[in-house]
Amino acid sequence: SLSATSVGTFKISVSSTNVTKTFTVTVSDAQPKEIFASYFVEGPDGYVAYSLGDSISAYVGITYIFSASVSPAQADQNIHSSVNTNGLKYTLETKTIKVNDYVDEKDMVCFTPLSEGDYDLVLESASKTDVKLTTHFTVSKMPTFSEVLSSDFAWRQGSQIKYYFSFTPDVSSEGQSGHVTISDRTSNKQENATYTISTLTNGYEFKFTHVDGEEFNLTVKMSKDFMMIVYVDGYGNEMSKVTVEFMLSGGTWAGTSGDYQLNLNFYNNGEANVSFMKTDYSVSKYFSCNFVITQSGEGYVGTFTSNSYTEDPFIALPATFTVNNELNSISMNFDYDGVSYSFTLTISADY
């Protein structure tokens, strides 16, 4: 195989014992095809990394730092940034940032919304303006600690929930102090404690005062945008707000109907993978999509919808499924190839 290192026209000769053939090869610049990005927010011990979806629920005054690259890697990597909004205030600048010890420093786009409302951040190839990535921001005012801690938080160790935090904020302090119950769900131990929150340069830190039960002596901090981090053996682990979406993730939901098996994998970012196969493997179908969950009666209704990565779904979208109130069983019915299938799925840990 041959690989060109510069642009130009080249002659290549290929010879055998009796024959020589000459080819003329023209090498052009690689053209940008797509822009990929991830983003970061300053945290108490560095930068907190996030995977990028179509939209971000953001807060006024928080700086969102975008690391972007152009595909293919051989194409011009220069990117222009801009913001589309209806007169709302913001700052937009490019800074050279090193986010951790494992990657080189690079120029990153730093966007800070200064008002509540909707913004579109556009990252555009400098050499091919039709190649762009647009991220929608829905920006709200900074919440109080009481509002943040009205949700439970948990950290999964592998597929299993390890630590589960339930807060009871003190209303008089707007949640800067209060009570917390910490459960270790792998050992079935529990601690009751009080907490206070102190402000750090780039986030917040909890101080726990033991009341009764097991004493875990955990260190917990929060980033500027309230990503909660629990430290285990010196390493920071990002916790998740406990939602139905979070409880459905962490394993593979599987069920059978007739000669077919249906597998569902949910992710905390609202995306899902759906696979459908015949038990003798003569049929195998797969697609990725988005999902939303709403409460309905004594359980929940979920809806699969297409996204930019959905290709050739084997069922019509949107498609619905139901989840029982205990979050341990999913039911889904659909037709495939003229036959109706009814699945009841349960979850198993992936690892």
Side-chain angles (χ1 to χ4, degrees):
S1 64
L2 299 173
S3 178
T5 58
S6 61
V7 174
T9 301
F10 304 88
K11 290 187 180 294
I12 301 173
S13 295
V14 180
S15 299
S16 64
T17 303
N18 299 314
V19 177
T20 297
K21 290 206 171 190
T22 301
F23 303 89
T24 300
V25 178
T26 300
V27 179
S28 304
D29 282 322
Q31 294 299 303
K33 292 184 178 180
E34 192 170 4
I35 293 176
F36 296 94
S38 57
Y39 73 99
F40 305 84
V41 171
E42 286 185 303
D45 297 301
Y47 294 90
V48 177
Y50 296 89
S51 58
L52 183 63
D54 295 330
S55 63
I56 296 174
S57 296
Y59 297 121
V60 171
I62 298 296
T63 298
Y64 297 87
I65 302 165
F66 279 69
S67 174
S69 60
V70 178
S71 174
Q74 297 81 6
D76 177 15
Q77 293 296 308
N78 289 310
I79 291 173
H80 293 160
S81 60
S82 61
V83 175
N84 297 329
T85 188
N86 188 21
L88 299 176
K89 295 181 179 180
Y90 63 90
T91 63
L92 183 67
E93 56 187 333
T94 299
K95 293 182 178 180
T96 302
I97 295 174
K98 183 177 175 67
V99 295
N100 58 47
D101 294 333
Y102 304 103
V103 297
D104 296 332
E105 65 179 18
K106 65 177 292 187
D107 288 345
M108 299 193 186
V109 174
C110 302
F111 168 61
T112 309
L114 302 177
S115 304
E116 295 179 67
D118 294 308
Y119 302 76
D120 284 325
L121 174 65
V122 182
L123 304 179
E124 180 182 282
S125 167
S127 57
K128 195 174 182 183
T129 57
D130 62 333
V131 176
K132 62 184 64 178
L133 175 67
T134 300
T135 302
H136 183 75
F137 283 77
T138 301
V139 181
S140 306
K141 67 179 181 180
M142 292 284 280
T144 65
F145 290 124
S146 288
E147 291 170 329
V148 172
L149 300 178
S150 64
S151 300
D152 293 345
F153 290 82
W155 170 59
R156 273 197 174 96
Q157 190 173 45
S159 293
Q160 306 299 316
I161 293 176
K162 172 66 173 175
Y163 291 118
Y164 191 106
F165 291 73
S166 295
F167 293 91
T168 305
D170 184 347
V171 177
S172 63
S173 68
E174 293 190 323
Q176 195 159 356
S177 60
H179 177 271
V180 61
T181 298
I182 307 170
S183 302
D184 180 342
R185 293 201 168 183
T186 60
S187 66
N188 293 320
K189 295 179 180 179
Q190 181 173 290
E191 176 180 13
N192 290 304
T194 59
Y195 75 86
T196 57
I197 300 174
S198 59
T199 300
L200 307 174
T201 302
N202 290 319
Y204 310 94
E205 184 169 9
F206 288 80
K207 178 183 178 182
F208 298 120
T209 301
H210 178 73
V211 175
D212 59 39
E214 187 76 12
E215 190 166 6
F216 296 126
N217 293 312
L218 293 173
T219 296
V220 176
K221 300 179 183 180
M222 282 194 299
S223 66
K224 285 186 172 183
D225 65 334
F226 307 107
M227 169 62 75
M228 197 171 295
I229 303 165
V230 60
Y231 291 77
V232 178
D233 298 327
Y235 293 95
N237 302 278
E238 296 176 6
M239 290 196 281
S240 296
K241 183 184 293 186
V242 176
T243 61
V244 176
E245 290 82 358
F246 171 78
M247 297 304 292
L248 292 182
S249 64
T252 298
W253 293 82
T256 59
S257 178
D259 294 332
Y260 285 86
Q261 176 169 316
L262 179 68
N263 291 343
L264 306 177
N265 292 93
F266 299 94
Y267 303 96
N268 206 28
N269 63 356
E271 297 179 356
N273 294 331
V274 182
S275 62
F276 176 70
M277 67 193 73
K278 202 167 185 178
T279 52
D280 63 2
Y281 303 105
S282 60
V283 175
S284 181
K285 302 289 183 179
Y286 166 90
F287 65 88
S288 60
C289 60
N290 291 338
F291 76 98
V292 293
I293 299 287
T294 56
Q295 192 159 15
S296 177
E298 293 299 314
Y300 304 88
V301 173
T303 304
F304 291 126
T305 59
S306 61
N307 59 27
S308 58
Y309 300 103
T310 305
E311 295 183 3
D312 300 324
F314 55 86
I315 56 176
L317 298 179
T320 60
F321 58 93
T322 60
V323 186
N324 67 350
N325 195 50
E326 293 76 20
L327 303 177
N328 58 17
S329 178
I330 292 177
S331 299
M332 187 172 184
N333 305 319
F334 57 83
D335 291 343
Y336 173 75
D337 201 21
V339 179
S340 296
Y341 294 92
S342 179
F343 293 91
T344 299
L345 302 94
T346 56
I347 192 170
S348 61
D350 286 338
Y351 55 91

